[in-house]
Amino acid sequence: MSEIPAELKYTKTHEWVRQAGQGDLTVGITDQAQEMLGDIVYIELPEVGTTVRASVECMVIESVKAASDVYAPVEGEIIEVNTSLTDQPELINQKSYDDGWLFRLRPNNTADLDRLLDAKGYADMIAAEG
Amino acid sequence: MPFIPHTDEDIRAMLATAGVPDIETLFDEIPADLRTTDFDAVPPGLNEMEVSRLLQERAAQNRPTVCFAGGGAYQHHIPAAVWEITSRGEYYSAYTPYQAEASQGTLQVIYEYQSMMTALTGMEVSNASIYDGASALGEAVLMAVRLSRRGKSSCVLLPATVHPAYRQVVATLVGDQGISLQEISYDFGSGVVEPETLESIQKDFAALVIPQPNYFGCLEEVDTLTNWAHERGALVIGVVNPTSLALLKPPGEWGEAGADIVCGEGQPLGIPLASGGPYFGFMACKQAHVRQLPGRIVGRTVDLESKPGYTLTLQAREQHIRRSKATSNICTNQGLMVTAATLYMALLGPQGLAQVATACHANTMALVKRLTALPGVEQVFEKPFFHEAVLRFPVPASRVLSVLGQGGVLAGVKLEQAYPELNDTLLVCATELRNEEDIEFYVRELTAALAG
C-alpha cells in the first residue's frame, strides 16, 4: 500500500499539494504515481514565472517506461522549481513527498484548493482503480 | 487473408452504399472523350525469358559515363567487402530494428556506428541515423528551436550556401510549426557567408546553420561564424560532408565552444549512387542536448555476469511511447545503410578516409586547373574548396552538359535554377575515382564542345 500523508491534498491525476505558507503551494507526485512510473530518468520542469491552468499539463516526467505529463492542481503562477531534480530525478522515486517535490505555485484563488481530494478521498480513488 | 482488394461482393456493397447500379454509372460524369480503354503503349504480358531478354537489350543501351557531378551525392570507391557483408541475411532485415528485442549484433553495429560518427564529428553523442541529410537538417532546426525555448526565439538563420534541396525540405518541415527561416546571402566574390554580412542581423534567433564545405564546395569561416552565433546566445548547427571531416577541423572544435548540433548526408560513406536513394542522414550533438536529439540511441552496458550487452536507450522520447510528445515522428532509422557505412568506415579506418579525402581534393584541384586553362573557362569563387568548385563557361551550361553527356562525360551540376546569378556555371566534382585519364577525357570533350 502506498504512502498517503494525511495532511496533504491530492488530484485525481496523482499530484500532491502542500500549503507552503503565505498561500503558496508545493506540488509533487504521489508515492503511488512514482511506483507506477518506475525508475524516473529525466524531468522537464516548468519555467518560473509562467502561469499554469488547473488540470492542464505543465511539465513532463520520463521514466524507463514512459513519458508522463504532470498537471497543475490549480491555476496560478510557478514561483520556484526543484532544480536538484535535473541531476537527481531519482529523488522523486526515493522521497516523493520531500526532496522529490517538483514546483511551487502561487494560486490565483485559494478557494480552488477546496476542489482537491483529501487523503481519504485519494486513497478511495486508487483503491477503486485497483 | 485475400490479397485482392475487393471482391465482387465488396464492389456490390460499395455501389449499393453509393446508390448507383454499376461502376459505369459511377463514372458517368467523366466526359467520354477523356476516357480511354485502349492502352496502345502498354504491351501485352511477357514470360520470364522474354523479360530477361528485353532487359538485357535495354541495359546494353546504358553507356558508361564518367561522373564529375556532385552537389550532395558523390561517387566513391566502395570496397567489395562492404556490401558483401552488409547484404548477409543477418543484417538484411526487412524492418527498422527499434524493438527492444532487436538482435545484439544489430545493436552492436549501431553502437559502433554512433561511436565512429562522434569521433568523426568531434561531438559527444550520435543517433542511429535518420531518413536522409535534408531531413536531418530539418530535425536539427526543430531541435534547436526546442532547446532555445527559454530564449523565446523561433527564427533560424539559413545561409543560401546550404544545399538548395535541403533548404526546401527544411522549409517544408518547419514552415507550419511557427518557425521562421531567415536566408543569409553569400558574397558573390568568395562564395561564402562573409561574417560582416551578419552584422546587420539585429533580431534574436535560435540557431545559425553553417554548411562545411558549403554547396559550392567552398570552405566557410566556421570559427568566426560559430563564435558570432554563440556570442548572441544562439546555437550552431553544422551541416557537413563526412568525407571532408577526415581532413577538416571537426565541428565539435569550431570556434571557442564547437557546434551544438551536427548533421549531414551519410551517402559518401559506402552508399552507392542509385538514382537518388536510399541514403541516410546523420545527427550528432553535445551531451547536454541529448534529450532533444530525435531518433534512436544504442548504449553499451554489462549484464549480471559482467558480459557486455547493447540496448536501445532513451526510448521514452520515441514516438511509440511518447506519441504527441516525441521529439520527432519521422525519425526513420536507415539501419541497412548505417550497417554499410559502419563497415566502410571500419575497413578504411581514419587513415584510409583521410587518403580518400586527400585524393578527392587533389583531383578536383587538378581538374579545375586543367579546365580553367581553356579559353573562357574560369573559377567563379576565390575561396579554398574541398572537392567541388563552381566554373563559368563561355557557352550556356546546359549546352556543356548535353554535348559532353553525349560523349560520355557527366560534366557537373547546373546551378542556375537555384541561383539565377550563376547562369553559365557548373558545379564540378572529382572524387578519388577520377584519375588523370578521366580528367584528360573531360578536357578533350570540353575543348571540342567549346570549339564547336
Side-chain angles (χ1 to χ4, degrees), chain B residues 167-185:
Chain B
R167 285 185 279 133
Q168 284 184 332
V169 169
V170 172
T172 304
L173 281 178
V174 311
D176 288 330
Q177 306 205 34
I179 296 171
S180 63
L181 300 168
Q182 185 177 341
E183 187 170 299
I184 308 288
S185 58

Side-chain angles (χ1 to χ4, degrees), chain B residues 161 184-194 196-197 216 381-382:
Chain B
T161 53
I184 308 288
S185 58
Y186 66 95
D187 181 82
F188 290 168
S190 62
V192 301
V193 172
E194 293 293 349
E196 302 86 71
T197 317
F216 304 136
F381 302 122
E382 63 207 23

Side-chain angles (χ1 to χ4, degrees), chain B residues 134-151:
Chain B
S135 58
L137 179 58
E139 292 292 347
V141 167
L142 290 170
M143 183 177 164
V145 172
R146 285 196 299 271
L147 285 166
S148 78
R149 209 174 30 174
R150 284 166 211 285

Side-chain angles (χ1 to χ4, degrees), chain B residues 16-339:
Chain B
T17 305
V20 287
D22 51 43
I23 290 179
E24 280 309 306
T25 320
L26 188 67
F27 293 153
D28 254 358
E29 62 185 282
I30 302 171
D33 58 333
L34 290 182
R35 295 183 60 185
T36 177
T37 48
D38 192 15
F39 296 103
D40 289 342
V42 180
L46 300 177
N47 64 32
E48 183 183 330
M49 201 170 60
E50 289 163 338
V51 168
S52 174
R53 189 186 172 103
L54 177 71
L55 293 183
Q56 278 167 12
E57 283 167 15
R58 295 276 161 87
Q61 291 170 12
N62 283 335
R63 283 175 306 125
T65 306
V66 187
C67 179
F68 287 94
Y74 305 96
Q75 189 181 43
H76 288 290
H77 171 69
I78 302 170
V82 170
W83 283 92
E84 191 62 36
I85 298 171
T86 302
S87 46
R88 281 182 63 108
E90 296 92 327
Y91 293 119
Y92 212 85
S93 93
Y95 192 55
T96 310
Y98 74 75
Q99 297 91 340
E101 68 274 20
S103 81
Q104 284 292 299
T106 297
L107 292 171
Q108 186 177 356
V109 165
I110 294 175
Y111 179 81
E112 301 293 348
Y113 161 80
Q114 290 170 182
S115 306
M116 292 186 217
M117 289 314 291
T118 50
L120 199 57
T121 56
M123 302 304 284
E124 289 167 314
V125 286
S126 160
N127 70 11
S129 84
I130 209 153
Y131 185 62
D132 66 5
S135 58
L137 179 58
E139 292 292 347
V141 167
L142 290 170
M143 183 177 164
V145 172
R146 285 196 299 271
L147 285 166
S148 78
R149 209 174 30 174
R150 284 166 211 285
K152 301 279 191 288
S153 176
S154 55
C155 172
V156 171
L157 308 183
L158 192 57
T161 53
V162 172
H163 195 306
Y166 288 20
R167 285 185 279 133
Q168 284 184 332
V169 169
V170 172
T172 304
L173 281 178
V174 311
D176 288 330
Q177 306 205 34
I179 296 171
S180 63
L181 300 168
Q182 185 177 341
E183 187 170 299
I184 308 288
S185 58
Y186 66 95
D187 181 82
F188 290 168
S190 62
V192 301
V193 172
E194 293 293 349
E196 302 86 71
T197 317
L198 301 171
E199 293 309 323
S200 62
I201 295 162
Q202 296 300 325
K203 66 172 168 180
D204 283 342
F205 57 97
L208 167 67
V209 176
I210 307 177
Q212 183 76 332
N214 71 23
Y215 186 63
F216 304 136
C218 300
L219 302 185
E220 298 275 358
E221 292 180 27
V222 292
D223 294 328
T224 314
L225 296 176
T226 299
N227 289 340
W228 179 84
H230 282 158
E231 279 159 19
R232 278 149 191 83
L235 298 177
V236 168
I237 301 171
V239 189
V240 294
N241 176 327
T243 309
S244 76
L245 293 180
L247 291 184
L248 300 176
K249 186 195 277 188
E253 294 171 19
W254 290 357
E256 296 290 322
D260 300 277
I261 306 168
V262 175
C263 60
E265 174 54 63
Q267 178 273 327
L269 302 174
I271 316 299
L273 294 177
S275 309
Y279 288 174
F280 74 92
F282 59 85
M283 280 188 87
C285 70
K286 289 180 176 169
Q287 175 84 39
H289 307 324
V290 69
R291 287 276 161 183
Q292 294 300 336
L293 182 68
R296 302 163 182 82
I297 296 178
V298 173
R300 183 179 185 276
T301 184
V302 287
D303 66 11
L304 289 172
E305 295 162 4
S306 300
K307 290 183 196 153
Y310 300 89
T311 184
L312 282 166
T313 58
L314 292 177
Q315 275 208 97
R317 297 165 305 107
E318 279 282 353
Q319 65 268 40
H320 57 287
I321 293 179
R322 207 172 168 175
R323 300 179 187 275
S324 64
K325 291 193 179 304
T327 44
S328 167
N329 279 288
I330 53 162
C331 43
T332 300
N333 170 215
Q334 289 282 27
L336 191 67
M337 300 305 118
V338 159
T339 304

Side-chain angles (χ1 to χ4, degrees), chain A residues 57-107:
Chain A
E57 58 185 68
C58 63
M59 60 170 289
V60 179
I61 295 183
E62 274 185 28
S63 74
V64 290
K65 289 184 193 166
S68 310
D69 293 323
V70 174
Y71 301 88
V74 295
E75 184 176 285
E77 184 192 339
I78 302 283
I79 55 170
E80 193 184 347
V81 296
N82 185 1
T83 49
S84 57
L85 295 177
T86 308
D87 294 327
Q88 294 173 278
E90 64 275 16
L91 288 175
I92 301 170
N93 289 121
Q94 292 159 0
K95 298 176 176 179
S96 61
Y97 294 109
D98 304 295
D99 297 349
W101 65 279
L102 301 175
F103 55 87
R104 297 217 160 90
L105 186 67
R106 182 160 295 158

